[in-house]
Amino acid sequence: MIPSLFFLDSCVNYLSFFSGALGLDLGLERAGFKPLMYCEFDKKCQETIKQNQPDVPLLSDIRNYSAKDILNEIGLSDTDQIDLVVGGPPCQAFSTAGARRSFEDERGNVFIHYLQIATDLKARYIVIENVRGLLSAVYKPSDHDEISLKDAKGTALEYVVKFLESKGYGVSFNLYNSANYGAPQIRERVVIIACADGSKVPYLNPTHSQNGEFGLKPWKTVKEAISDLTPEQNQACAVFPEKRLKYYRLLKSGQNWRNLPEDLQKEAMGKSYHLGGGKTGFLRRLNWDKPSPTLVTSPTMPATDLAHPEEDRPLSVAEYARIQQFPNHWKFAGKLVDQYKQIGNAVPGDLGYAIAQAIINHDQGNDIKPPENFSFSRYKFTTEKDWKKAFKNK
């Protein structure tokens, strides 16, 4: 077993990459983890970090640094212990929406650079957070690759696993619904945890379940998250165009375009009415009594509307922040569009806290296994043990 985390100043140090507005970091820090550095490319996110955490060193584009450069920047030597490196490399290269160019994409190459830095730093634990699309993303080989894989579904993730294992890390991963960890939001994210001693960290132990199954707390609802916010707190808010408000005025909490009269359904949806798919994101009011759907980078995009359960408006910035579990005092830099984007790209704090708890327990030899047959997400075949089954016979 590698030396315990708690021999180092009685707290866990970590380096944060692709830090964004620090949603994941807030969860880690609530568990007692100490940030030695944040690293973020986006200028507005940098401003947000400086406003809220001015005493923590902040680096910019990860591509400008080697592991040695990073140690120099934060005043450490290569003999100093790094307990954890954590980051969510840009997910657009793997997103289920769009081109999905995988590692061929420049953002995918940043992913590989992150892996190299994390392992060069000899971090005792490495955490990677990403979208569900990573499970099926395709690896695009090049002539210079050390790891040779076929061009097929799931090979991008296979590359990540093989890379980490080649450096001696034990790797476990799963797709987690954030609602199972206390977030008032159905938000599915892949979390990879790698351990330098070759052991595997168990899957994150849930604290909640949909209806209180397994003796856990029921999922948190939108009402629990935002109902106490005042009109003054909700002043920073986008607006819907009048042509959409016409339909929203006819919808109640939890309803969407399908709850309109049929003639208005066709009028509201236009050409989209005849397209396939569920189209449940159109003209969607949140349900007071359920978790929010996944927050996106804008609450007013036609196919992913996020309207208040009762009021004729989108969710406000403050409501976005509550659902993503930012504290009330957190300041977001930039214009309204920048603030929504930062919050929409974040990781709920309770998921970060669950990651921290899994690492702490594993490091102390007190692994806690989740309940048997627990559904971590809405999807099948999402772990390092079985994710390739999703691609058989396809």
Side-chain angles (χ1 to χ4, degrees), residues 245-261:
L245 285 173
K246 168 184 174 181
Y247 307 113
Y248 270 122
R249 294 185 182 109
L250 302 174
L251 297 174
K252 298 178 181 179
S253 171
Q255 294 186 333
N256 61 32
W257 68 276
R258 292 186 184 277
N259 299 101
L260 296 169

Side-chain angles (χ1 to χ4, degrees), residues 95-233:
S95 175
T96 52
R100 298 192 66 187
R101 295 171 60 84
S102 194
F103 290 141
E104 186 181 22
D105 188 285
E106 172 61 23
R107 291 163 294 198
N109 292 328
V110 174
F111 196 121
I112 294 175
H113 187 58
Y114 168 72
L115 290 175
Q116 190 66 61
I117 283 181
T119 52
D120 285 350
L121 288 168
K122 298 181 174 60
R124 301 177 64 254
Y125 290 90
I126 298 171
V127 168
I128 302 164
E129 171 273 327
N130 221 285
V131 293
R132 179 172 64 92
L134 178 59
L135 293 171
S136 57
V138 175
Y139 170 74
K140 300 288 186 181
S142 72
D143 296 334
H144 308 290
D145 289 335
E146 298 178 11
I147 299 172
S148 179
L149 295 171
K150 295 180 180 179
D151 184 343
K153 281 189 174 183
T155 46
L157 182 52
E158 187 173 0
Y159 180 98
V160 172
V161 173
K162 285 183 178 293
F163 183 95
L164 291 167
E165 289 179 343
S166 73
K167 306 294 185 180
Y169 286 82
V171 180
S172 61
F173 64 80
N174 208 337
L175 178 67
Y176 297 103
N177 180 352
S178 299
N180 291 327
Y181 300 91
Q185 179 183 184
I186 305 294
R187 191 179 190 90
E188 308 260 4
R189 285 295 182 270
V190 174
V191 176
I192 304 170
I193 304 180
C195 183
D197 71 356
S199 63
K200 289 190 176 185
V201 177
Y203 303 134
L204 306 184
N205 196 41
T207 55
H208 295 67
S209 59
Q210 185 168 1
N211 299 301
E213 300 90 345
F214 301 98
L216 302 172
K217 299 175 183 178
W219 282 349
K220 289 182 180 177
T221 66
V222 168
K223 183 176 289 185
E224 290 176 87
I226 69 170
S227 62
D228 66 325
L229 288 170
T230 66
E232 290 74 25
Q233 289 173 296

Side-chain angles (χ1 to χ4, degrees), residues 39 41 60-66 106 109-110 113 117:
C39 183
F41 171 78
S60 55
D61 190 341
I62 187 176
R63 293 171 296 185
N64 295 335
Y65 303 96
S66 65
E106 172 61 23
N109 292 328
V110 174
H113 187 58
I117 283 181

Side-chain angles (χ1 to χ4, degrees), residues 93 170 272 295:
S272 298
L295 296 192

Side-chain angles (χ1 to χ4, degrees), residues 255-271:
Q255 294 186 333
N256 61 32
W257 68 276
R258 292 186 184 277
N259 299 101
L260 296 169
E262 188 173 357
D263 60 328
L264 288 183
Q265 289 183 26
K266 294 179 179 179
E267 179 183 294
M269 296 295 288
K271 294 179 181 179

